[in-house]
Amino acid sequence: MHDAAYKLLFSRPRMVRDLLDGFAARSWSGSLDFESLAPLPASFVGRDLRQRHGDLIWRVRFRDEGWLYLVLLLEFQATVEPAMAVRILEYTGLLYRRLVAQDVLREHGALPPVLPVVLYNGQRRWTAPVEMTKLLAAGSEVLTPYQPSQRYYVLDVSRVSAADLPAGNLVSALIGLEKTRDAAGLRKALKALFGLLRNQKDDTLTQAFVTWLRQGLRHAGRLPSHGEGPLAQLREAQTMLEETVREWTREWLEQGRAQGIEQGRAQGIEQGRQEERELLCRQAARKFDAGAAEGLAAALARVTDPDRLARVGDWIIECATASELLARVRGDNGPGG
C-alpha cells in the first residue's frame, strides 16, 4: 500500500516545482518554465500497466518551448524494488506510445524527453540499480548498442543530509519532518513548514500537509481512531513517517520522566491546535466573511479534539452559508470539547 497523503502533496504544482528545483533538476532547473507545470490524468499511462496509488505524471515546458515529461513514482514499502528500472522503462514506453498516437512525433519530428523520479521513503537504503543496463547480463560488446538503456533519479528521503536540503523549499521541509527524532527538532521543523505555507496561500496544499501530519500521528497512537472526514478514510501501510512518530512518542515519554519535558510537549501540542484553529478561521473568512471567522473563533476556543477540528474543515467546504457552518459547529457535542 502507498501513502495517500503523500500523493495529495505531490498533486500540487509547488511541491513538484520544489522537487525539481531543489533536487532532481537542481543544476538545470533554470531552463524550465515552472508556470507551465501541469498534471496529466492517471489514464495517460495507459491500461497496459496497473496504475498504482503513488504514480503521477506531470509535464513542464522548457524555456525554449520544448516539453519535459516527469514520471513521478512514490515508493513506500518495506523492501527495495530491484526491478524498478524495468518498470520505469515500461512507463516510458507507454507514455511515448500515447504521444505517438496523438501525432506528437509527426508534428514535432521528435518525442519529448522524460525525467523519471523515484521518491523513496523506506528504512533500508535504496540499493536497486538506477540504470537499466545494470540489470542486463554481460554479453558480447557487439550487442551493447541494441540493449535498452535508461536511468532514473531516486530521492532516498532517509539518506538526504541536512546540508543538501535547500532553504525555502517545501520538499526540504517535508524531509526535515521525516528525519526529526526529538521534540525540539519537531517544533523547529513545523515552524519552518508553517512559514512556507503561509507565504504560499494555498489552502489545498496546507490541508494536504495537515492530513499528512495527522495521519502519521494517528498511526503512532497520538490521535483517537474514531472520527469522520478525511482521517477516517486513510488506511495506510506503515511508512517511515509512522515509525518516526512512534520514536518521537517513546523519546518524549522517556525524557518526560527524566527531564520534565512532558510539560513542554503539552504546550507544543496546544500551540499546534491553536494554529489549526486559526487556519480554519482564515478559511472561513476567505469563503464567507470576517464575521464568520469571528463567530468560528469563539465556537472553537475550547475545542481540542483533532477529529472535531477536522470536521469543521469539511463543513467549511460543504456549507453554503456562514450561519449553516456556525450552527453545525455549535451543535457538535462530540468528545474533546
Side-chain angles (χ1 to χ4, degrees), residues 221-262:
R222 305 279 300 165
L223 292 177
S225 60
H226 65 278
E228 302 173 357
L231 285 176
Q233 301 171 9
L234 295 174
R235 300 180 178 89
E236 305 298 333
Q238 288 189 347
T239 65
M240 185 63 178
L241 170 62
E242 299 164 18
E243 296 166 359
T244 297
V245 178
R246 286 192 178 94
E247 292 177 15
W248 291 340
T249 304
R250 288 193 297 268
E251 290 171 3
W252 279 337
L253 290 175
E254 293 170 359
Q255 293 172 3
R257 295 188 188 100
Q259 304 172 15
I261 292 182
E262 280 294 314

Side-chain angles (χ1 to χ4, degrees), residues 35-47:
E35 296 299 320
S36 67
L37 258 175
L40 298 179
S43 59
F44 190 89
V45 173
R47 297 181 179 178

Side-chain angles (χ1 to χ4, degrees), residues 49-307:
L49 279 180
R50 179 172 57 89
Q51 183 67 26
R52 301 177 332 117
H53 191 66
D55 298 339
L56 299 165
I57 297 181
W58 287 77
R59 72 174 185 174
V60 60
R61 189 182 293 276
F62 284 102
R63 296 193 183 279
D64 65 2
E65 298 301 312
W67 285 101
L68 168 69
Y69 283 76
L70 174 69
V71 178
L72 178 58
L73 284 77
L74 307 179
E75 284 299 306
F76 301 97
Q77 55 190 25
T79 58
V80 175
E81 183 173 337
M84 176 60 74
V86 175
R87 200 168 86 210
I88 292 288
L89 188 65
E90 290 177 305
Y91 268 71
T92 303
L94 289 169
L95 177 61
Y96 280 153
R97 192 170 73 182
R98 178 62 63 87
L99 292 175
V100 168
Q102 294 177 347
D103 288 332
V104 170
L105 180 60
R106 184 169 59 183
E107 292 178 10
H108 301 281
L111 292 170
V114 169
L115 173 62
V117 175
V118 174
L119 185 62
Y120 172 63
N121 190 23
Q123 270 194 313
R124 292 179 51 198
R125 181 183 296 276
W126 184 265
T127 56
V130 297
E131 294 186 12
M132 181 63 202
T133 54
K134 299 297 184 181
L135 293 177
L136 302 176
S140 172
E141 291 185 2
V142 71
L143 295 176
T144 300
Y146 300 100
Q147 307 311 305
S149 175
Q150 187 181 42
R151 183 183 181 92
Y152 63 88
Y153 174 90
V154 59
L155 180 58
D156 190 343
V157 170
S158 298
R159 304 304 185 278
V160 180
S161 67
D164 289 331
L165 295 178
N169 185 294
L170 281 168
V171 177
S172 292
L174 179 69
I175 294 174
L177 280 166
E178 290 274 17
K179 294 169 69 67
T180 298
R181 291 296 187 274
D182 56 68
L186 174 61
R187 287 194 294 270
K188 181 178 179 181
L190 285 174
K191 182 178 180 181
L193 172 63
F194 290 150
L196 290 173
L197 291 175
R198 288 192 190 98
N199 292 335
Q200 286 302 302
K201 298 180 179 179
D202 183 339
D203 289 345
T204 302
L205 179 58
T206 298
Q207 186 59 50
F209 266 104
V210 170
T211 299
W212 178 79
L213 287 166
R214 284 178 177 160
Q215 178 192 340
L217 293 172
R218 166 153 292 171
H219 280 289
R222 305 279 300 165
L223 292 177
S225 60
H226 65 278
E228 302 173 357
L231 285 176
Q233 301 171 9
L234 295 174
R235 300 180 178 89
E236 305 298 333
Q238 288 189 347
T239 65
M240 185 63 178
L241 170 62
E242 299 164 18
E243 296 166 359
T244 297
V245 178
R246 286 192 178 94
E247 292 177 15
W248 291 340
T249 304
R250 288 193 297 268
E251 290 171 3
W252 279 337
L253 290 175
E254 293 170 359
Q255 293 172 3
R257 295 188 188 100
Q259 304 172 15
I261 292 182
E262 280 294 314
Q263 181 179 358
R265 179 168 64 91
Q267 292 173 348
I269 292 173
E270 175 53 32
Q271 180 181 353
R273 288 170 178 161
Q274 179 58 29
E275 289 180 346
E276 185 170 359
R277 287 192 288 262
E278 292 174 357
L279 172 62
L280 291 170
C281 291
R282 288 198 299 272
Q283 291 175 331
R286 293 186 67 177
K287 180 170 182 180
F288 302 112
D289 52 37
E294 292 177 3
L296 185 60
L300 296 180
R302 296 187 179 183
V303 174
T304 59
D305 178 51
D307 288 325

Side-chain angles (χ1 to χ4, degrees), residues 310-329:
R311 288 197 291 273
V312 174
D314 294 336
W315 292 338
I316 291 175
I317 297 173
E318 296 170 0
C319 292
T321 65
S323 59
E324 180 186 358
L325 169 64
L326 294 176
R328 285 198 188 186
V329 173

